[in-house]
Amino acid sequence: MEKPMIAKTNTLGDWGYIAIEQHLHKILKHEEDVLNDRDPEALHQMRVGMRRLRSAVTGFQVVLDLPKAAAEKKIGKIARILGELRDLDVLKETLLNEYEPELPKSEQKYLKQVLNYLGKQRKQALTKVQSALESKSYQHLKKALKKWLDEPQYLGVAQLPIYEVLPDLLLPSVSEFLLHPGWLVGVQVAEGKIGVSKAMPQSEVEQLLIDQGKLLHSLRKETKRSRYQMELFTEFYGSKYLAHLEDLKEIQKILGEIQDSVVLSEFITAALDSDSKKQLPTLVKQLLQNSYKSWQHWQFLQNKYLNAETRTSFRLELLNPIEQPSDLTK
């Protein structure tokens, strides 16, 4: 199969090629800045590029005959290492911008202790990132993907017209998203009927997130995978598809806010090596309040996507792509 041009993207293989090319370009564009620790935004963009590349490799695995050096696990390992450093940058930004301005002087010294601890953790994470990007495994990964882009190899179904097989490509990912057990966190199921509690007090939500927060975090990751794959094919669908995609972005955002509060609370406790409620009561109170607000927002989306009509509408939309989208160079 010839190397596809952007203007001629008719087959499933063509779109798989474009996904790999775009995400690798994004990664390489920011690599030098990340290695030299020049810009937190470069780290964020490279991490996103690596995650999207991983999603593309997974989503197009029945289409692309990629080399072993570019296996999903190897991409995922680099993405996780980048993520560790990025998460620390986000924690620092959150502490300085959202919480420090509201703290009384009596708590400032403890926040400084937390930030000093964060700085030490960040140095270690940066060293780990630099080692990973200079490793043979990462160099082989880049080389293998560049070579594949010059001489792409495909599997049989790559020849099929994209609009004919898009539902088969998208539905498995969306099914994983809709069937994730995280949807049932805080939900009552009785006699086949689902009930979302709208009046759960903050104390109950706090305990619920302690007990089942990992499920919501897992749902967030599943949401992200579905979102990344759906974003590749917006040209083939209409407004309903875009509306569901916006919902996925919002779900990812809200569940991310809940997870960030949990992570930040655990980080503060580790940094102070003591009960953070005693040393940073104002900050801890704000954390819990923000988490509760995010939970209330989440319940609206949770209720929407536990509704049978919403789920049916979502599936039906995926079944009807446009045969000839108006703009393939978008």
Side-chain angles (χ1 to χ4, degrees):
M1 184 178 291
E2 294 181 0
K3 180 177 176 180
M5 300 296 291
I6 297 295
K8 292 183 63 179
T9 50
N10 301 316
T11 70
L12 190 57
D14 294 338
W15 281 83
Y17 180 97
I18 289 170
I20 299 298
E21 182 181 49
Q22 288 180 347
H23 301 330
L24 181 62
H25 174 75
K26 187 184 189 76
I27 291 165
L28 299 180
K29 177 181 178 182
H30 298 287
E31 182 184 291
E32 186 177 347
D33 284 342
V34 172
L35 266 171
N36 292 285
D37 197 25
R38 291 174 183 157
D39 182 6
E41 181 61 22
L43 171 64
H44 171 59
Q45 293 300 327
M46 186 175 184
R47 180 197 193 185
V48 169
M50 194 66 71
R51 283 181 165 179
R52 288 179 181 269
L53 177 64
R54 183 186 184 188
S55 294
V57 168
T58 302
F60 286 99
Q61 61 183 339
V62 298
V63 181
L64 309 179
D65 186 9
L66 293 169
K68 291 182 179 180
E72 178 268 336
K73 288 184 178 180
K74 295 185 178 182
I75 298 170
K77 182 179 179 180
I78 299 295
R80 283 190 294 273
I81 293 172
L82 291 171
E84 291 171 8
L85 181 59
R86 173 60 184 171
D87 289 346
L88 290 171
D89 284 346
V90 171
L91 285 180
K92 181 179 179 180
E93 182 180 338
T94 301
L95 284 169
L96 292 176
N97 296 336
E98 294 186 26
Y99 294 103
E100 184 183 41
E102 304 298 325
L103 290 185
K105 289 184 179 180
S106 59
E107 296 183 37
Q108 292 288 341
K109 63 179 181 179
Y110 295 113
L111 178 61
K112 186 176 181 180
Q113 185 177 332
V114 172
L115 291 171
N116 288 339
Y117 177 79
L118 190 152
K120 294 177 182 178
Q121 295 292 311
R122 191 185 187 283
K123 286 182 180 179
Q124 295 176 9
L126 176 59
T127 299
K128 193 173 179 181
V129 165
Q130 291 169 333
S131 297
L133 297 186
E134 291 171 348
S135 68
K136 289 184 179 179
S137 177
Y138 178 66
Q139 298 305 319
H140 289 161
L141 167 63
K142 290 192 300 179
K143 184 178 180 180
L145 287 174
K146 288 177 181 178
K147 183 178 180 181
W148 185 88
L149 288 171
D150 289 334
E151 300 176 5
Q153 301 295 316
Y154 299 94
L155 301 175
V157 293
Q159 301 279 0
L160 297 175
I162 182 68
Y163 68 90
E164 290 184 6
V165 293
L166 256 185
D168 303 316
L169 188 69
L170 292 173
L171 280 169
S173 176
V174 171
S175 293
E176 291 289 332
F177 164 73
L178 292 174
L179 289 172
H180 195 283
W183 287 107
L184 298 181
V185 173
V187 168
Q188 296 179 345
V189 182
E191 298 180 355
K193 294 184 178 180
I194 299 173
V196 178
S197 175
K198 296 182 180 180
M200 191 179 297
Q202 183 172 323
S203 59
E204 289 187 23
V205 172
E206 290 173 24
Q207 189 58 50
L208 185 66
L209 294 179
I210 291 172
D211 296 337
Q212 300 187 55
K214 289 183 179 179
L215 271 178
L216 290 178
H217 182 49
S218 177
L219 174 57
R220 183 195 179 208
K221 292 192 286 187
E222 195 65 59
T223 303
K224 190 182 302 182
R225 283 190 282 268
S226 295
R227 172 197 164 188
Y228 286 169
Q229 193 167 30
M230 286 179 64
E231 283 180 335
L232 291 171
F233 304 111
T234 55
E235 292 88 348
F236 288 91
Y237 291 95
S239 59
K240 289 184 180 180
Y241 183 93
L242 294 177
H244 284 296
L245 184 55
E246 285 300 315
D247 281 346
L248 263 63
K249 291 180 183 179
E250 190 66 12
I251 290 168
Q252 181 186 331
K253 175 178 176 289
I254 296 302
L255 293 182
E257 290 174 357
I258 293 174
Q259 176 65 13
D260 288 347
S261 294
V262 173
V263 170
L264 185 51
S265 179
E266 292 175 348
F267 187 86
I268 291 171
T269 299
L272 297 175
D273 196 23
S274 63
D275 187 356
S276 58
K277 291 183 180 179
K278 294 180 180 179
Q279 296 172 319
L280 288 167
T282 305
L283 194 155
V284 171
K285 183 180 179 180
Q286 288 177 311
L287 270 174
L288 294 174
Q289 289 176 340
N290 288 343
S291 182
Y292 188 55
K293 288 179 182 178
S294 296
W295 170 262
Q296 291 173 315
H297 190 174
W298 156 243
Q299 283 196 300
F300 170 78
L301 293 163
Q302 182 186 34
N303 192 44
K304 180 177 181 179
Y305 276 83
L306 285 175
N307 180 277
E309 291 183 6
T310 301
R311 297 159 78 90
T312 299
S313 171
F314 198 176
R315 297 188 201 98
L316 290 176
E317 183 63 19
L318 298 178
L319 289 173
N320 296 285
I322 301 168
E323 181 173 344
Q324 293 184 338
S326 59
D327 184 7
L328 290 176
T329 62
K330 186 176 179 181

